[in-house]
Amino acid sequence: MKSKLALSAIVAAVAVFSQGAFAQASSPTRAEVKAEAKKGSLAPAGEGPQASVPKTTDKTRAERKAQAKADEKAGNIKPAGEGVDDKTKVASGSDKTRAERKAQTKADAKAGKLTPAGEGATK
């Protein structure tokens, strides 16, 4: 029993120390890290590459506000939200009443048109 415990302890120790050796072999040396830092190729903390956004515009704030008011009066601005026009909304619900749907289902069941449970729709 003691030999099993000793053997498993040795195997665990070898596994732990071998991971550290492999990890250190692939990482750069301290001198390489210092040389890269002195080169200045690293960005300061929290300042990664950012998308370029034009910071200037050809219009003043007053001109933009006037344009927005004119667009609002003309109805060219979409309302806040999902951005779906009233004309393109999909009609929700059914055009039949519940009683009509039940009657249709009963007629389909009587005629054998319903898909049996578990078989799914066929294409």
Side-chain angles (χ1 to χ4, degrees):
M1 187 69 169
K2 287 186 180 183
S3 62
K4 276 187 173 180
L5 181 63
L7 183 61
S8 63
I10 291 172
V11 169
V14 168
V16 168
F17 291 118
S18 65
Q19 288 177 352
F22 289 127
Q24 288 178 355
S26 63
S27 61
T29 64
R30 182 177 172 142
E32 291 171 343
V33 172
K34 280 188 168 185
E36 189 175 345
K38 283 185 180 179
K39 237 185 345 184
S41 62
L42 298 175
E47 295 183 17
Q50 297 176 0
S52 61
V53 177
K55 296 192 177 199
T56 59
T57 178
D58 57 340
K59 294 182 180 180
T60 65
R61 184 175 182 199
E63 290 171 340
R64 289 192 311 267
K65 286 177 81 172
Q67 180 66 39
K69 281 186 179 181
D71 288 344
E72 187 177 2
K73 277 188 177 180
N76 296 336
I77 296 179
K78 290 184 180 180
E82 298 296 319
V84 178
D85 293 334
D86 289 336
K87 298 172 189 171
T88 60
K89 283 187 181 177
V90 178
S92 61
S94 176
D95 56 344
K96 296 181 180 181
T97 65
R98 183 172 185 220
E100 290 171 340
R101 288 193 308 269
K102 286 180 87 172
Q104 181 67 42
T105 304
K106 282 185 181 181
D108 289 346
K110 198 170 196 179
K113 293 181 182 178
L114 296 180
T115 305
E119 292 187 15
T122 58
K123 290 185 178 181

